């Protein structure tokens, strides 16, 4: 190896460039290695600190690792807004709501004229059901980038969640027009679907999202799919508290507990659901499956018989 080649091997910019190339080629793991090599040479190399965080995220590293990398970078460059944004992304994945929002607030204060940062903040606020705050952040993103379809659609989603249907419809129509002007087929489709949803919910007179049992049931399933069982169950508690007569939170609780291998608790949840609504054939079927998993064959068969009896008695099978 010549002197020039050896010098290149000790040049953090050279390794950082290799990391960027690997990211562009879709090889995030190779990018991580290259950025780490750059940081071995220069631990404070700004672009490599940022690049390593991005590469770890793209490589689907555990969010704890992404968070640690972002914090390491911020220890060197605390004014780097992008690092604060990635810190927030990792914290969202870890379910740390307040910490994530604090990181996003820091990013927007460091770079207040970037519409994308305001939109990112708004989307996280929306995810955590803080609809009024999300709307304010979408408004700021829209002020900075009036024709950006993501902010326009997000604003419509926030208004829809607040059951402010007339305003939501106007916002979604504006998003649709912007998407058409930009020849953005995906955003156009999303805006049309949202308009249909707004019209349906407005006709039904639905209350704001956080006052709907089904909204919290779906959130619980999302939390469980993200690996957060305790949060899923707490969310179902919130759904059940909204309407103590609703069977749905208990059906979803049974399904989640069954998937978590907690069969006895799952059966208890199904029993509660069926006490509230004995005509729920789906709950009987799920209970039958859970009983079969528990080895209670006779009880399982009886539950499936109740499925057939319920369908026969209460459903208009001629419609199917």
């Amino acid at each position: 190896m010549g002197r020039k080649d050896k010098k290149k091997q000790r040049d953090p910019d050279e390794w950082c460039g290799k990391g960027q190339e690997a990211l562009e080629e879709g090889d995030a793991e190779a990018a991580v290695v290259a950025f780490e090599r750059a940081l071995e040479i220069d631990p404070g190399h700004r672009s490599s600190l940022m690049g390593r965080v991005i590469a770890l995220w793209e490589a689907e590293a555990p969010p704890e690792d992404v968070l640690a990398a972002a914090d390491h970078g911020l220890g060197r460059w605390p004014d780097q807004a992008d690092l604060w944004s990635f810190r927030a992304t990792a914290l969202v994945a870890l379910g740390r709501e307040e910490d994530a929002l604090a990181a996003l607030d820091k990013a927007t204060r460091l770079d207040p004229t970037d519409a994308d940062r305001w939109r990112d903040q708004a989307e996280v606020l929306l995810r955590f059901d803080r609809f009024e705050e999300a709307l304010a952040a979408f408004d700021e993103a829209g002020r900075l980038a009036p024709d950006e379809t993501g902010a326009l659609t997000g604003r419509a989603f926030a208004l829809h969640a607040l059951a402010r249907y007339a305003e939501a419809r106007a916002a979604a129509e504006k998003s649709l027009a912007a998407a058409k002007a930009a020849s953005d087929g995906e955003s156009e489709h999303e805006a049309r679907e949202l308009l249909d949803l707004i019209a349906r919910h407005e006709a039904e007179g639905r209350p704001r999202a956080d006052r709907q049992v089904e909204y919290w049931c779906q959130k619980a399933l999302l939390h469980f799919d993200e690996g957060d069982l305790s949060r899923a169950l707490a969310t179902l508690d919130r759904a059940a508290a909204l309407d103590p007569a609703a069977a749905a939170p208990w059906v979803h609780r049974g399904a989640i507990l069954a998937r978590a291998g907690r069969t006895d608790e799952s059966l208890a949840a199904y029993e509660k659901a069926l006490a509230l609504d004995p005509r729920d054939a789906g709950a009987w079927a799920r209970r039958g499956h859970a009983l079969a998993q528990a080895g209670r064959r006779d009880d399982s068969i009886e539950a499936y018989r109740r499925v057939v009896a319920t369908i026969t008695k209460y459903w208009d099978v001629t419609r199917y």
Side-chain angles (χ1 to χ4, degrees), residues 146-163:
D147 297 320
E148 204 277 309
T149 55
L152 291 169
T153 303
R155 184 172 190 274
F157 268 113
L159 288 163
H160 167 256
L162 288 164

Side-chain angles (χ1 to χ4, degrees), residues 6-61:
K6 286 182 179 180
K7 188 175 180 181
K8 278 187 175 183
Q9 291 296 311
R10 297 295 302 167
D11 183 355
D13 290 335
E14 183 75 16
W15 283 106
C16 185
K18 289 181 179 181
Q20 297 291 353
E21 288 175 10
L23 274 179
E24 289 171 8
E25 293 168 0
D27 192 347
E29 292 181 359
V32 171
V33 172
F35 289 126
E36 287 180 346
R37 190 69 181 271
L39 292 169
E40 287 173 6
I41 300 165
D42 179 2
H45 195 262
R46 189 167 186 154
S47 296
S48 296
L49 286 166
M50 185 68 235
R52 181 170 179 264
V53 176
I54 296 171
L56 284 167
W57 183 258
E58 292 293 327
E60 299 182 357

Side-chain angles (χ1 to χ4, degrees), residues 232-246:
L233 296 175
T235 303
L236 288 171
D237 288 340
R238 189 167 184 174
L242 272 178
D243 183 359

Side-chain angles (χ1 to χ4, degrees), residues 6-270:
K6 286 182 179 180
K7 188 175 180 181
K8 278 187 175 183
Q9 291 296 311
R10 297 295 302 167
D11 183 355
D13 290 335
E14 183 75 16
W15 283 106
C16 185
K18 289 181 179 181
Q20 297 291 353
E21 288 175 10
L23 274 179
E24 289 171 8
E25 293 168 0
D27 192 347
E29 292 181 359
V32 171
V33 172
F35 289 126
E36 287 180 346
R37 190 69 181 271
L39 292 169
E40 287 173 6
I41 300 165
D42 179 2
H45 195 262
R46 189 167 186 154
S47 296
S48 296
L49 286 166
M50 185 68 235
R52 181 170 179 264
V53 176
I54 296 171
L56 284 167
W57 183 258
E58 292 293 327
E60 299 182 357
E64 294 88 350
D65 292 353
V66 179
L67 178 61
D71 284 344
H72 177 70
L74 288 167
R76 295 271 185 168
W77 302 99
D79 62 342
Q80 185 75 24
D82 287 339
L83 285 171
W84 284 105
S85 292
F86 268 96
R87 183 175 201 275
T89 300
L91 288 164
V92 168
L94 292 167
R96 291 169 55 182
E97 174 181 347
E98 294 300 331
D99 291 338
L101 291 171
L104 285 167
D105 183 63
K106 181 72 173 179
T108 52
R109 281 189 284 116
L110 284 168
D111 191 7
T113 61
D114 188 328
D116 288 343
R117 297 199 194 284
W118 286 102
R119 188 189 64 199
D120 290 345
Q121 186 177 47
E123 287 174 351
V124 172
L125 286 161
L126 201 59
R127 175 188 175 92
F128 289 127
D129 312 303
R130 295 167 66 160
F131 304 130
E132 288 91 349
E133 294 169 83
L135 179 60
F138 278 127
D139 283 345
E140 184 61 21
R143 185 185 70 78
L144 293 165
D147 297 320
E148 204 277 309
T149 55
L152 291 169
T153 303
R155 184 172 190 274
F157 268 113
L159 288 163
H160 167 256
L162 288 164
R164 290 164 56 177
Y165 293 121
E167 295 170 86
R169 185 169 57 255
E173 286 170 351
K174 190 173 180 180
S175 175
L176 178 61
K180 285 181 176 178
S183 300
D184 184 346
E186 185 176 346
S187 294
E188 183 178 343
H189 177 71
E190 185 178 18
R192 290 188 187 281
E193 285 196 329
L194 181 55
L195 280 166
D196 289 343
L197 188 67
I198 291 166
R200 187 164 68 252
H201 288 179
E202 185 175 23
E204 294 171 0
R206 282 203 188 191
R208 53 186 281 170
D210 53 358
R211 294 173 190 160
Q212 297 173 26
V213 169
E214 189 56 31
Y215 175 82
W216 292 112
C217 289
Q218 293 303 315
K219 291 280 287 188
L221 293 174
L222 176 64
H223 293 321
F224 180 73
D225 287 341
E226 291 173 343
D228 196 340
L229 175 60
S230 61
R231 190 170 188 186
L233 296 175
T235 303
L236 288 171
D237 288 340
R238 189 167 184 174
L242 272 178
D243 183 359
W250 296 98
V251 175
H252 286 295
R253 179 180 289 271
I256 284 173
L257 288 166
R259 288 169 64 189
R262 291 162 60 171
T263 305
D264 289 343
E265 293 170 85
S266 170
L267 288 169
Y270 287 135

Side-chain angles (χ1 to χ4, degrees), residues 274 278-288 299-317 320:
L274 290 165
R279 297 183 296 178
D280 189 336
W284 281 112
R286 289 175 182 271
R287 185 170 185 271
D299 290 335
S300 175
I301 290 170
E302 179 57 29
Y304 283 120
R305 283 178 179 154
R306 293 295 296 268
V307 175
V308 176
T310 301
I311 292 172
T312 303
K313 185 173 182 179
Y314 297 111
W315 291 22
D316 181 5
V317 294
Y320 301 95

